[in-house]
Amino acid sequence: MCLGIPGQITELVDLEFLVAKVDIGGVKRDVIITCVVDDEHPAESCIGDWVLVHAGFAMSRLDEEDAARTLALLAELGDMQAEMEIMRQVGASA
Amino acid sequence: MKYMDEFRDPATAKKLVAEIHKLASTALSQREPLQIMEFCGGHTHTLFKYGIESMLPDNIEMVHGPGCPVCVLPMARVDDCVAIAEQPGVIFTTFGDAMRVPGTRKSLLQAKADGCDVRMVYSPMDALALARKNPEREVVFFALGFETTMPSTALTLLQAHREGLKNFSLFCNHITTPATMRAILTDPDLRLDGFLAPGHVSMVIGTHPYDFVTRDYHKPLVITGFEPLDMLQALWMLVKQFAEGRCEVENQYARIVPEAGNVAGLKAIAEVYETREHSEFRGLGNIGDAGIQIREAYAAYDAEKKFGLPFDFAQGAVGYDPEHLKCADVLRGVIKPWECPAFAKTCNPQNPLGALMVSPEGSCAAYYAYGKLAKRKETA
């Protein structure tokens, strides 16, 4: 029950109770967005945002910059490994 | 779906595994394997589903933690659920995971078969909607889970309060992760070297509640997500800490977990809940301050008070577990599921005897689902 699913906010359903329609892998569901709304992100600005939905509540924004950073680091790790491999091979044949 | 393919890239996984092997062969002891606990059942699932455990070097051993809320629920609490569901006029609602957990008398599913109105819901808000639609009935939501589910149940209670609903209540069985971790760390039977901390609990509580793990117990900890590359990267980060002699709380899952946690969620939790004086966990015994209860200000929404439950928390409930089941030792990571005499024999997903076999997040269910029925298969 602790796993969340990423979804994209498509429309606001109820501004007073902070209910939004979220597209979760093609399924649209009413979701409470209280936990992802603050002064910096007022409800009206949430459309199009990616959130992690958990038991009918949007619990966190998916931070695209952080996601990109993680992926970049992983790619870099891969490159580093490839480079080490080349170094080793070259070193062995030298 | 967004980010999913990227975080499952097999080529990157292979490279990360190679990095972990390299670090492990140069920086770790070859005799004493490093014991790393993944606290969360969701992580156990990822480890098995993608075969991550079998990719790791021999000197890194994963210990599967108790992080499945259904699994640490004492049988007597299930009995209380059934007792509430049996009251006339009650609609008892719950997440699906909890339906099949055995009590000493019966599970909620059996109670439903016997005529009780037990309904599975996706969200506590669904239970609230039922209360609005059925003003003549009492609607009870079985609120359980670690911090991941706490904001949603707290916000639902606050919504019921705002609307002045009189026929809605929570049966509160939430538990807190840091206190449970502390109990594990003080267990003399366990030798743990580090933690992979749960991603979605951390998205609510943030990174600082784990500071005591590194400060007081000197165990490195990495918060991680649930995709295979998340876990591999977190393992690499953890092994790197050992290699460099560091001991820190690190956050691999920054795309979801802010350092300060979820401010609105934490505010709702603080408003509605307080620490319970005594709480009994299945397999872990009495963990003084890990359980929480509803504050007096919201007593009208507390099913325990509304239904005057007979269960006395101070007495404890651990004794209710059948003796031949080794759930407690599996939960604490002392033995592997296949070391329990009932595992895959009398206890299986079709007929679960212990809670760990019920929820897909339970380690016995995960071992069973991925065919790890005996040690020789696990290492194959």
Side-chain angles (χ1 to χ4, degrees), chain A residues 73-94:
Chain A
L73 175 86
L74 290 172
E76 200 180 299
L77 255 177
D79 289 346
M80 199 169 75
Q81 168 71 13
E83 209 150 298
M84 299 278 290
E85 206 50 57
I86 292 167
M87 261 169 28
R88 241 193 309 270
Q89 281 168 13
V90 171
S93 61

PDB file of all heavy atoms in Angstrom, chain A residues 73-94:
ATOM      1  N   LEU A  73      23.506  11.462 -13.755  1.00  0.00           N
ATOM      2  CA  LEU A  73      24.525  10.831 -12.921  1.00  0.00           C
ATOM      3  C   LEU A  73      24.678   9.359 -13.298  1.00  0.00           C
ATOM      4  O   LEU A  73      25.792   8.844 -13.400  1.00  0.00           O
ATOM      5  CB  LEU A  73      24.145  10.949 -11.443  1.00  0.00           C
ATOM      6  CG  LEU A  73      25.100  10.211 -10.500  1.00  0.00           C
ATOM      7  CD1 LEU A  73      26.275  11.091 -10.134  1.00  0.00           C
ATOM      8  CD2 LEU A  73      24.392   9.731  -9.262  1.00  0.00           C
ATOM      9  N   LEU A  74      23.539   8.709 -13.534  1.00  0.00           N
ATOM     10  CA  LEU A  74      23.582   7.295 -13.902  1.00  0.00           C
ATOM     11  C   LEU A  74      24.297   7.114 -15.243  1.00  0.00           C
ATOM     12  O   LEU A  74      25.092   6.189 -15.417  1.00  0.00           O
ATOM     13  CB  LEU A  74      22.167   6.713 -13.976  1.00  0.00           C
ATOM     14  CG  LEU A  74      21.454   6.566 -12.621  1.00  0.00           C
ATOM     15  CD1 LEU A  74      20.004   6.159 -12.819  1.00  0.00           C
ATOM     16  CD2 LEU A  74      22.159   5.551 -11.741  1.00  0.00           C
ATOM     17  N   ALA A  75      24.011   8.029 -16.167  1.00  0.00           N
ATOM     18  CA  ALA A  75      24.655   7.952 -17.482  1.00  0.00           C
ATOM     19  C   ALA A  75      26.165   8.161 -17.322  1.00  0.00           C
ATOM     20  O   ALA A  75      26.980   7.463 -17.930  1.00  0.00           O
ATOM     21  CB  ALA A  75      24.063   9.001 -18.414  1.00  0.00           C
ATOM     22  N   GLU A  76      26.514   9.126 -16.484  1.00  0.00           N
ATOM     23  CA  GLU A  76      27.917   9.449 -16.237  1.00  0.00           C
ATOM     24  C   GLU A  76      28.652   8.246 -15.646  1.00  0.00           C
ATOM     25  O   GLU A  76      29.763   7.906 -16.028  1.00  0.00           O
ATOM     26  CB  GLU A  76      27.976  10.612 -15.259  1.00  0.00           C
ATOM     27  CG  GLU A  76      29.272  11.371 -15.243  1.00  0.00           C
ATOM     28  CD  GLU A  76      29.178  12.500 -14.231  1.00  0.00           C
ATOM     29  OE1 GLU A  76      28.311  13.371 -14.396  1.00  0.00           O
ATOM     30  OE2 GLU A  76      29.932  12.458 -13.262  1.00  0.00           O
ATOM     31  N   LEU A  77      27.949   7.584 -14.701  1.00  0.00           N
ATOM     32  CA  LEU A  77      28.507   6.386 -14.086  1.00  0.00           C
ATOM     33  C   LEU A  77      28.816   5.349 -15.151  1.00  0.00           C
ATOM     34  O   LEU A  77      29.860   4.707 -15.136  1.00  0.00           O
ATOM     35  CB  LEU A  77      27.469   5.788 -13.133  1.00  0.00           C
ATOM     36  CG  LEU A  77      27.681   5.978 -11.663  1.00  0.00           C
ATOM     37  CD1 LEU A  77      26.498   5.385 -10.917  1.00  0.00           C
ATOM     38  CD2 LEU A  77      28.969   5.328 -11.226  1.00  0.00           C
ATOM     39  N   GLY A  78      27.878   5.224 -16.103  1.00  0.00           N
ATOM     40  CA  GLY A  78      28.054   4.279 -17.189  1.00  0.00           C
ATOM     41  C   GLY A  78      29.271   4.644 -18.033  1.00  0.00           C
ATOM     42  O   GLY A  78      30.124   3.802 -18.313  1.00  0.00           O
ATOM     43  N   ASP A  79      29.378   5.927 -18.367  1.00  0.00           N
ATOM     44  CA  ASP A  79      30.509   6.405 -19.180  1.00  0.00           C
ATOM     45  C   ASP A  79      31.828   6.140 -18.470  1.00  0.00           C
ATOM     46  O   ASP A  79      32.807   5.704 -19.059  1.00  0.00           O
ATOM     47  CB  ASP A  79      30.383   7.916 -19.435  1.00  0.00           C
ATOM     48  CG  ASP A  79      29.246   8.208 -20.404  1.00  0.00           C
ATOM     49  OD1 ASP A  79      28.775   7.237 -21.037  1.00  0.00           O
ATOM     50  OD2 ASP A  79      28.840   9.377 -20.502  1.00  0.00           O
ATOM     51  N   MET A  80      31.791   6.420 -17.140  1.00  0.00           N
ATOM     52  CA  MET A  80      33.000   6.249 -16.344  1.00  0.00           C
ATOM     53  C   MET A  80      33.457   4.790 -16.429  1.00  0.00           C
ATOM     54  O   MET A  80      34.617   4.496 -16.640  1.00  0.00           O
ATOM     55  CB  MET A  80      32.676   6.613 -14.896  1.00  0.00           C
ATOM     56  CG  MET A  80      33.851   6.926 -14.034  1.00  0.00           C
ATOM     57  SD  MET A  80      33.244   7.647 -12.498  1.00  0.00           S
ATOM     58  CE  MET A  80      32.609   6.231 -11.658  1.00  0.00           C
ATOM     59  N   GLN A  81      32.454   3.911 -16.282  1.00  0.00           N
ATOM     60  CA  GLN A  81      32.735   2.483 -16.315  1.00  0.00           C
ATOM     61  C   GLN A  81      33.333   2.095 -17.679  1.00  0.00           C
ATOM     62  O   GLN A  81      34.322   1.367 -17.754  1.00  0.00           O
ATOM     63  CB  GLN A  81      31.439   1.709 -16.034  1.00  0.00           C
ATOM     64  CG  GLN A  81      31.510   0.228 -16.308  1.00  0.00           C
ATOM     65  CD  GLN A  81      32.377  -0.491 -15.279  1.00  0.00           C
ATOM     66  OE1 GLN A  81      32.714   0.098 -14.250  1.00  0.00           O
ATOM     67  NE2 GLN A  81      32.744  -1.712 -15.574  1.00  0.00           N
ATOM     68  N   ALA A  82      32.712   2.628 -18.762  1.00  0.00           N
ATOM     69  CA  ALA A  82      33.175   2.298 -20.117  1.00  0.00           C
ATOM     70  C   ALA A  82      34.615   2.770 -20.301  1.00  0.00           C
ATOM     71  O   ALA A  82      35.461   2.066 -20.859  1.00  0.00           O
ATOM     72  CB  ALA A  82      32.254   2.954 -21.145  1.00  0.00           C
ATOM     73  N   GLU A  83      34.890   3.960 -19.784  1.00  0.00           N
ATOM     74  CA  GLU A  83      36.227   4.534 -19.913  1.00  0.00           C
ATOM     75  C   GLU A  83      37.270   3.697 -19.169  1.00  0.00           C
ATOM     76  O   GLU A  83      38.356   3.418 -19.667  1.00  0.00           O
ATOM     77  CB  GLU A  83      36.220   5.956 -19.353  1.00  0.00           C
ATOM     78  CG  GLU A  83      37.247   6.844 -20.019  1.00  0.00           C
ATOM     79  CD  GLU A  83      36.766   8.287 -20.024  1.00  0.00           C
ATOM     80  OE1 GLU A  83      35.712   8.552 -20.637  1.00  0.00           O
ATOM     81  OE2 GLU A  83      37.421   9.104 -19.394  1.00  0.00           O
ATOM     82  N   MET A  84      36.874   3.269 -17.939  1.00  0.00           N
ATOM     83  CA  MET A  84      37.765   2.422 -17.137  1.00  0.00           C
ATOM     84  C   MET A  84      38.069   1.128 -17.895  1.00  0.00           C
ATOM     85  O   MET A  84      39.199   0.631 -17.867  1.00  0.00           O
ATOM     86  CB  MET A  84      37.099   2.044 -15.798  1.00  0.00           C
ATOM     87  CG  MET A  84      36.755   3.215 -14.916  1.00  0.00           C
ATOM     88  SD  MET A  84      38.137   3.820 -13.943  1.00  0.00           S
ATOM     89  CE  MET A  84      38.328   2.489 -12.791  1.00  0.00           C
ATOM     90  N   GLU A  85      37.019   0.626 -18.539  1.00  0.00           N
ATOM     91  CA  GLU A  85      37.150  -0.627 -19.281  1.00  0.00           C
ATOM     92  C   GLU A  85      38.172  -0.451 -20.407  1.00  0.00           C
ATOM     93  O   GLU A  85      39.075  -1.276 -20.591  1.00  0.00           O
ATOM     94  CB  GLU A  85      35.765  -0.994 -19.854  1.00  0.00           C
ATOM     95  CG  GLU A  85      35.536  -2.475 -20.102  1.00  0.00           C
ATOM     96  CD  GLU A  85      35.908  -3.338 -18.894  1.00  0.00           C
ATOM     97  OE1 GLU A  85      35.365  -3.136 -17.784  1.00  0.00           O
ATOM     98  OE2 GLU A  85      36.793  -4.187 -19.082  1.00  0.00           O
ATOM     99  N   ILE A  86      38.035   0.672 -21.130  1.00  0.00           N
ATOM    100  CA  ILE A  86      38.966   0.956 -22.227  1.00  0.00           C
ATOM    101  C   ILE A  86      40.389   1.078 -21.681  1.00  0.00           C
ATOM    102  O   ILE A  86      41.340   0.501 -22.201  1.00  0.00           O
ATOM    103  CB  ILE A  86      38.552   2.257 -22.978  1.00  0.00           C
ATOM    104  CG1 ILE A  86      37.223   2.006 -23.715  1.00  0.00           C
ATOM    105  CG2 ILE A  86      39.624   2.709 -23.965  1.00  0.00           C
ATOM    106  CD1 ILE A  86      36.550   3.256 -24.223  1.00  0.00           C
ATOM    107  N   MET A  87      40.500   1.817 -20.551  1.00  0.00           N
ATOM    108  CA  MET A  87      41.818   2.013 -19.932  1.00  0.00           C
ATOM    109  C   MET A  87      42.456   0.681 -19.579  1.00  0.00           C
ATOM    110  O   MET A  87      43.640   0.439 -19.805  1.00  0.00           O
ATOM    111  CB  MET A  87      41.674   2.862 -18.661  1.00  0.00           C
ATOM    112  CG  MET A  87      42.008   4.304 -18.911  1.00  0.00           C
ATOM    113  SD  MET A  87      41.585   5.445 -17.587  1.00  0.00           S
ATOM    114  CE  MET A  87      41.649   4.526 -16.115  1.00  0.00           C
ATOM    115  N   ARG A  88      41.600  -0.206 -19.008  1.00  0.00           N
ATOM    116  CA  ARG A  88      42.095  -1.516 -18.605  1.00  0.00           C
ATOM    117  C   ARG A  88      42.577  -2.310 -19.817  1.00  0.00           C
ATOM    118  O   ARG A  88      43.640  -2.915 -19.805  1.00  0.00           O
ATOM    119  CB  ARG A  88      40.986  -2.293 -17.878  1.00  0.00           C
ATOM    120  CG  ARG A  88      41.362  -2.643 -16.432  1.00  0.00           C
ATOM    121  CD  ARG A  88      40.433  -3.655 -15.844  1.00  0.00           C
ATOM    122  NE  ARG A  88      39.029  -3.274 -16.006  1.00  0.00           N
ATOM    123  CZ  ARG A  88      38.344  -2.553 -15.119  1.00  0.00           C
ATOM    124  NH1 ARG A  88      38.926  -2.158 -14.010  1.00  0.00           N
ATOM    125  NH2 ARG A  88      37.096  -2.246 -15.308  1.00  0.00           N
ATOM    126  N   GLN A  89      41.727  -2.277 -20.875  1.00  0.00           N
ATOM    127  CA  GLN A  89      42.078  -3.038 -22.076  1.00  0.00           C
ATOM    128  C   GLN A  89      43.368  -2.522 -22.714  1.00  0.00           C
ATOM    129  O   GLN A  89      44.253  -3.282 -23.080  1.00  0.00           O
ATOM    130  CB  GLN A  89      40.926  -2.968 -23.090  1.00  0.00           C
ATOM    131  CG  GLN A  89      39.800  -3.931 -22.738  1.00  0.00           C
ATOM    132  CD  GLN A  89      38.553  -3.667 -23.535  1.00  0.00           C
ATOM    133  OE1 GLN A  89      38.580  -2.937 -24.516  1.00  0.00           O
ATOM    134  NE2 GLN A  89      37.464  -4.258 -23.113  1.00  0.00           N
ATOM    135  N   VAL A  90      43.416  -1.210 -22.813  1.00  0.00           N
ATOM    136  CA  VAL A  90      44.602  -0.585 -23.411  1.00  0.00           C
ATOM    137  C   VAL A  90      45.821  -0.903 -22.557  1.00  0.00           C
ATOM    138  O   VAL A  90      46.875  -1.285 -23.055  1.00  0.00           O
ATOM    139  CB  VAL A  90      44.399   0.950 -23.552  1.00  0.00           C
ATOM    140  CG1 VAL A  90      45.688   1.626 -23.967  1.00  0.00           C
ATOM    141  CG2 VAL A  90      43.298   1.240 -24.563  1.00  0.00           C
ATOM    142  N   GLY A  91      45.621  -0.772 -21.238  1.00  0.00           N
ATOM    143  CA  GLY A  91      46.695  -1.038 -20.300  1.00  0.00           C
ATOM    144  C   GLY A  91      47.217  -2.464 -20.449  1.00  0.00           C
ATOM    145  O   GLY A  91      48.419  -2.712 -20.437  1.00  0.00           O
ATOM    146  N   ALA A  92      46.271  -3.405 -20.656  1.00  0.00           N
ATOM    147  CA  ALA A  92      46.648  -4.815 -20.722  1.00  0.00           C
ATOM    148  C   ALA A  92      47.428  -5.139 -21.993  1.00  0.00           C
ATOM    149  O   ALA A  92      48.354  -5.944 -21.981  1.00  0.00           O
ATOM    150  CB  ALA A  92      45.388  -5.685 -20.663  1.00  0.00           C
ATOM    151  N   SER A  93      47.034  -4.465 -23.100  1.00  0.00           N
ATOM    152  CA  SER A  93      47.679  -4.784 -24.373  1.00  0.00           C
ATOM    153  C   SER A  93      48.981  -4.008 -24.555  1.00  0.00           C
ATOM    154  O   SER A  93      49.780  -4.323 -25.410  1.00  0.00           O
ATOM    155  CB  SER A  93      46.723  -4.503 -25.542  1.00  0.00           C
ATOM    156  OG  SER A  93      46.388  -3.134 -25.540  1.00  0.00           O
ATOM    157  N   ALA A  94      49.178  -2.958 -23.744  1.00  0.00           N
ATOM    158  CA  ALA A  94      50.354  -2.112 -23.913  1.00  0.00           C
ATOM    159  C   ALA A  94      51.613  -2.836 -23.440  1.00  0.00           C
ATOM    160  O   ALA A  94      51.559  -3.701 -22.590  1.00  0.00           O
ATOM    161  CB  ALA A  94      50.188  -0.804 -23.159  1.00  0.00           C
TER     162      ALA A  94
END
